[in-house]
Amino acid sequence: MKLSLAKIPVQNRFCRKCSSQIKSELLKIQDITNVNLYPTDSLVVFSFIKANELSVALNILTALGYPPQGDRVNAKFISPICSCF
């Protein structure tokens, strides 16, 4: 199976400390590997095999308060887990 790389810029900022929680949630998804977070760029990068896993990862990021840039979400229902800023 071929691995694909996802580079997802997210809307909300997060710190290095809070990155570990985001990473652990993404690693719970089957066939998601090599998760790296770049807080200064608000960027999430990971490898995946199937498009379904990418979709699940995007849903998890949104639920955690980090929707992909360009997504329109109701801010009343989405608050980031990182409250360091």
Side-chain angles (χ1 to χ4, degrees):
M1 289 187 236
K2 182 181 176 198
L3 281 178
S4 297
L5 185 67
K7 293 181 181 180
I8 304 167
V10 295
Q11 292 181 27
N12 296 318
R13 295 174 53 191
F14 54 89
C15 68
R16 290 192 181 275
K17 179 181 161 192
C18 297
S19 298
S20 63
Q21 186 175 1
I22 299 166
K23 184 175 183 172
S24 70
E25 290 297 318
L26 290 174
L27 286 172
K28 291 178 184 177
I29 304 168
Q30 183 178 351
D31 295 328
I32 294 278
T33 58
N34 303 324
V35 177
N36 292 297
L37 289 97
Y38 300 93
T40 54
D41 300 322
S42 296
L43 181 67
V44 178
V45 179
F46 57 87
S47 298
F48 66 98
I49 295 175
K50 298 178 192 169
N52 183 48
E53 286 121 15
L54 176 60
S55 178
V56 171
L58 292 173
N59 288 338
I60 286 176
L61 286 171
T62 300
L64 292 173
Y66 302 98
Q69 285 183 3
D71 277 11
R72 299 182 87 180
V73 275
N74 190 339
K76 292 180 187 178
F77 301 109
I78 303 292
S79 62
I81 58 171
C82 183
S83 59
C84 300
F85 294 105

